[in-house]
Amino acid sequence: MGSARDILDTYLHFRDGGRVDPVPVSDAFWGELAAGRHPQLDQGRLMTAFTFSAPWSMWERHPAGEELVMLLEGAATLVLDEAGQERTVELRRPGSYVLVPPGVWHTARTSVPTTMLFLTPGAGTQHRPVGD
């Protein structure tokens, strides 16, 4: 039996076939991921969580499958760009979640300390700045 870990410090890679591998988080992780330095994460799903208190500066989308976005603490508005129309989903209660459809651009807005959990199919993930 292992010791307890914190999803804010160690992500989890749920591999196809049922194995789960811890993924240590560093300040460089997201840049490395975008640069293709973690190709093993393209298979399966990556569980992450982070805390933020301002609107995201980027949109993202995941063509390989649905993404689970779950509120753990705080409050946020998830914004989905569906065929050029923005749809908002309010997440106000811990445990409330949204399943973002494959390929749908999405971002989040908040002004309070908020922690969210994500279960993401990583292959082909794209980003674009908010405002584009």
Side-chain angles (χ1 to χ4, degrees):
M1 186 180 302
S3 59
R5 296 187 181 174
D6 187 333
I7 193 66
L8 295 171
D9 299 326
T10 304
Y11 298 156
L12 296 172
H13 179 215
F14 288 80
R15 294 179 12 188
D16 296 337
R19 184 174 170 86
V20 179
D21 296 321
V23 179
V25 177
S26 70
D27 291 340
F29 176 79
W30 291 106
E32 291 172 356
L33 188 66
R37 293 195 192 120
H38 298 283
Q40 74 279 13
L41 300 180
D42 282 349
Q43 302 302 313
R45 295 190 182 250
L46 183 64
M47 180 180 282
T48 62
F50 59 90
T51 300
F52 57 101
S53 57
W56 293 357
S57 63
M58 301 294 278
W59 291 88
E60 65 176 22
R61 68 177 173 182
H62 311 285
E66 289 180 313
E67 178 183 36
L68 168 74
V69 178
M70 181 183 293
L71 181 71
L72 299 180
E73 184 176 274
T77 301
L78 194 69
V79 182
L80 307 173
D81 180 350
E82 298 176 317
Q85 298 290 325
E86 285 190 7
R87 178 172 67 95
T88 60
V89 179
E90 302 296 325
L91 299 172
R92 300 284 177 239
R93 218 177 53 240
S96 58
Y97 68 90
V98 174
L99 293 175
V100 178
V104 170
W105 288 103
H106 54 284
T107 191
R109 298 177 184 147
T110 192
S111 60
V112 299
T114 297
T115 302
M116 297 178 82
L117 178 90
F118 306 86
L119 186 58
T120 307
T125 293
Q126 297 173 316
H127 295 93
R128 72 175 194 220
V130 169
D132 282 1

